[in-house]
Every structure is written in structure tokens, then in C-alpha cells.
Amino acid sequence: MATIKDVAERTGYSIKTISRAINDEPNVSQKAKTIIQETMREMDYYPNSVAQQMRGKATKMIGVVISYITNPFFAYLVDAIEEKANENGYQVVVFQTKDKPKNQMRFLEMLKSKQLDGLILAYIEEENDEIKQLIKLGKVVVCNHHSPHSKLPGVFIDENKATYDAITFLIKQGYRKIAYCSGGKYDPDNLRFSGFIKALKAYHITFDDSYHFENKWDVLGGQQVVRDILEMPESDRPQAIFSNGDLLASGILSECLTQGIKVPEDLAIMGFDDQPVSQILTPKLTTVQQPIKQMGELSTEILIANLHGETPPEYVLLDTELMIRETT
Amino acid sequence: MATIKDVAERTGYSIKTISRAINDEPNVSQKAKTIIQETMREMDYYPNSVAQQMRGKATKMIGVVISYITNPFFAYLVDAIEEKANENGYQVVVFQTKDKPKNQMRFLEMLKSKQLDGLILAYIEEENDEIKQLIKLGKVVVCNHHSPHSKLPGVFIDENKATYDAITFLIKQGYRKIAYCSGGKYDPDNLRFSGFIKALKAYHITFDDSYHFENKWDVLGGQQVVRDILEMPESDRPQAIFSNGDLLASGILSECLTQGIKVPEDLAIMGFDDQPVSQILTPKLTTVQQPIKQMGELSTEILIANLHGETPPEYVLLDTELMIRETT
DNA sequence: CTGAAAGCGCTTACAG
DNA sequence: CTGAAAGCGCTTACAG
């Protein structure tokens, strides 16, 4: 592979002059520039960017940590981040944690070993002091995943308000027996769940613990929920169900259709995310739209501003929108 | 940030001994190793991987070029590639071409400027000699996207056989008037299309050009196809439709349900890909399953073997499987 | 088992 | 407008 030295020898100029031509610096004669550029093309020379990084200290790469790229929510988020990063001359490295905390640590190490300029954490397995410190240094921006227990600065949606509004809508439609499907374990402090409970309380509805379905997050999980509901005595069954994600809601809907449960007459379904699938289904899914694109773009802008030494906002709360369609 | 020199000064050892300890080389006393490791931890020292790359010549990063990460097909492909790459100590950089040929060139430049060790092209905008040469050098592996005109080595599915089998199945079910939706422009040499035609010919069915729908690839496109069909005189309408992707098939199905067209009685639908959505829909979609995982893993194995100087197979053709469900 | 010197391919700071 | 020297943070090759 040709190096800058080869180009220097071939053209007769010093490596410094070659360097100036590569970087479009002033103080090179037009003649020198032309000769050098032509020679570089002839030799199929490309500056070794590793060597450039060594001096410039920037890799122009940022990492994005998500749980699963096959989850459309994250695919759209990565899309938004990549678009904005590219605009600013950065490339995106994707890291999937796949629910293994030790993976997250690997990515932090890549940051510390300078393979990456910065990191967007769209999914945090474990919060710790190291992450907090990296945020302070402006090398890490958190988005999307919001622990109710330790508030980190970052870009999030107003989870509490989102479910509060969604459930209030259901109640106003006349539903009173409303079930809740959580993606993970039961956690009373969870912001979505507390918004859910808050809405019920506002209408003096008490929550029945048997209406809480834990650890459901995919299509199969949704189908299981319907089977669980069918095992309840008919008079005890919920009239509506809030599901923490559209995939889950899709599973609920498909199993309802299979089992002959009418939607929304027998069971209303409220999704979350507004993934494309929600408009393909019949009936079309009522769901909470997350501003994925905005979230991705803002996180990227904040990270890049930080990397450039600017001081952007620390904490951003985005609004969601209720997309009322046919399952409620 | 601490460097190897700082660790050397603090421990009293030379930088070479520190280097040995970092890389677990022999010829370091256990005592020295222990002291050095402890000091590195204390100083929060991480070897600068850019400097390491400078000497080692490998970045341990590979790029994956796709068209859109929001297309579930590519999301699953990237997932398979990342998994296999990680196993071998490589990280994955995702590049979306978004149908712009000039983007593809950017990624090739990153390869030539040594930011990347290798590249998997899962979507080619433009084939050219440069790509062919990089394949020969073992730095590029092509998969998925197969131009019928210039055969590149790589990992592909047997497109021709896949549609031949799918259409033969439809014909055996009694369908004779079968429409074809292509993702791009009409191309008689397209391998899927020629498999389609071959199946019709085997049963002496002539293809009606008005049954060819061009440039349809998303949900909206599918919906449009149904509206186009409804404008045909009822006796001329196709009985079945082959669609080049499940998203497209989803759009066709959803519009059928909206318009009161019974599936499969009035119109049978055959998808392609076997994306998760095909099992969520009601009725469930009959479709051609692509071995995405296998394709991603094989491409990655071939690339890494090449990078390690081994000589793996050049051309692999994978089999698809017809998933018969409820829309045919 | 340990280290001083040279070098990877560039850029920064200085000199002319 | 041009260039020789020093250095980025490591590793390779050599010496002890």
C-alpha cells in the first residue's frame, strides 16, 4: 500500500507538502496541488486514517448501544442517529447488549481505548458511576431508557404522561377494567406504570393485581396473555389492555382473532411505539407514538456538540402522541 | 489521559515491559505483571487502540453495507453478522446506502483508508471493477443482492429456484392467473422473475403483461397494487399474486381486507422473506423463507477467513423454504 | 527476564 | 510557498 512517503518520493515534494495537499491547507501552489492529486490517483493512494487519528485524536466514529437491532423501535432509532451522524461526518458502530450487562462494559472499554469518540446509550443494562462520569465528560449521551430510580441526564420521552394520557382516553371511552402488560418485572416505580395507576386513581378505579402481566415483550408473550385472560371467569376478564410495545400488542390482537375474541368490542388493545406494523394490522392498532426520529437526532446533536466542546442542554423530555385507530 | 509512558514511569519498568504485560506476552516476571496490572487499574489506563492499530495494521472493525436498517430483512441480517463478528473479536459498522450510489463509494474509501479491515456488501448500488478487485483481495464479501448480469462471487439464495417452487405450488393449488410485483423496474433477466416465468411455462401458462406491477416494495405500494387490480374488469383480475417481499404482501393483504376482497378465495397472496410480520397477520401469510441467519453467518465467516489469509469457498448458493400458511 | 532504539504514517510547531 | 525535525502511543527487532 502506498504511503505519504511514496507520494513524496514520486512527486519530489516533501511529505509535509503532500500532507498540506491532502488536507486542503493554504500555502501550497496550485501547481504542486495538481501534481500531487494526480499522483495520488495514479498510485491509488489513500491517507491512512489510523495514522491521522493518532495525531488528530478523533476517530469520527460514535457507538450506539441498543438491546436488539431486530426490534423495529431500535432500527428506526439507529436510522435517525446514523443520518444525523453522517451529516456531521461521523460513522456509527452498532452494539447490541442482548440483555447481557457485560456487553455494555465492552463498549465502554472501546470508548476508553479511543476506538470511539463517543457513545449513545439507548439502552442501559446497568447504571454506574463510570457512566455518570463519562456523561459529565461529554462522551456519553443517554436516551430512551429511563430508570425511575437514578435519574441520568439525557433525551427521554415523558413516560408518565404518555401512559396517563393513554389510559385516561380508555377510561373516557368507557373502559374501567384495564389490564397492564409490562416488558420486565413488576416495578411500582416504573414511570409508565405509575402514569397508568395515576390515571386510574383520577377516576377512582382500583387496580386489580391479577390484571398485571409481567415479562411480556414479544408476539408470543402477547398470545400467552390472551390465553391467560381466557382462563379467568368471564365476568372477571379485563375490557381493555395496555401493552408495553406494539409487537406485544400484535400478539394479543392475533391471538384474539384466532380465539374469536372481538376487538375492540370484547377486548380493547392499546399499543406503544407506533411501529409500522400497527397500521398493517386489521383492525389497525391504537397506540402511543414515540418521537423516535426526534429522539435519535437530538441525542446525536447533543453528543456531537459535546465532542466539539460546546455545552448543549442536559435533560430533554419529549412529548408522545396518542394515535387513535381501531382497537379501542 | 494516561499513556503507556505514564505507567512505565509510575512502576519504574520500561514501556516495553508494560507492553508485554498488556499483551500477555511471555518473559515478564509474575511480580512485574501484578504490579503493572494494579497500576494500570489505579491510573484507569487503557491502551490506545489507535496506536495499537498503527502497528498491528488491523482495526478489528468490519463494515456492513445495506440499503435500509429499518427493513426487517436487513435488521436480521445485521444481527446475524454482528453476532458472528463479535465471536471473532470484530465490531460492526453499519452503512445504509439509502439508494444513493455515492454512499457506497464512501464506504469503499473507508476500507481503503484502513478504518475498516473488511466489508460485507449486502446491497450493491453499483458493481464495478474496484469492487471485483477488493473481492479478490479478500477484503470484500458480497451477499444477498444478486445481479443477474455480472456474477460476483458471494453468498446468495437460489432466487430462481425459490420463485419457481413458489409459483409451481400456486399452480398446483389451481391458480392460473398469477400476478408479479417486482421491487424495482421490469427486468426480464431478473433471477426471481425468470423463475416465475419458467414455472408458468412448465404448465403452458402465458404471462399477461398487465399482471406485472413495477417498483412496489413497501406497504403503501402493496395497497396501490390492490387498487390497480380493482380497476380491471372483474373477469380479467388475477387470482393470485406473487409479491417481492413480506412488507409489500402485508400492504396487499391489508388493502384486500379494507376493500372486502377475500383472501385467499378472491385473491391468493405469496410473500417473500418470512419476516415476523407474516405470522402476526390474519390470515397468516404464505411466504418464501430466506435463510437470513445462515447468509449473515456464512458471509462473516468467509470475510474473516479471508482477513486471516485463509481461502474459503468463493460462491455459495443457499436454499429457501416455502412456508405454506393461510393466504394461498 | 528486561530495556533502548527504531519505526508505523501521519501532523504540529518551527524555520526559512 | 516549502521542508527538516519531533512526536502521537504503541510494537517489532535486536541486544543484553
Side-chain angles (χ1 to χ4, degrees), chain B residues 9 19 23 63 138-139 167 254:
Chain B
E9 275 166 18
S19 173
N23 296 293
K139 287 175 177 286
I167 302 307
S254 87

Side-chain angles (χ1 to χ4, degrees), chain A residues 49-50 52-61 90 114-117, chain B residues 50 115:
Chain A
S49 72
V50 173
Q52 290 178 316
Q53 286 166 27
M54 187 88 175
R55 315 263 48 233
K57 308 271 189 190
T59 62
K60 290 284 175 179
M61 296 236 189
Y90 285 82
K114 304 199 177 158
Q115 286 202 68
L116 257 29
D117 292 348
Chain B
V50 173
Q115 286 200 71

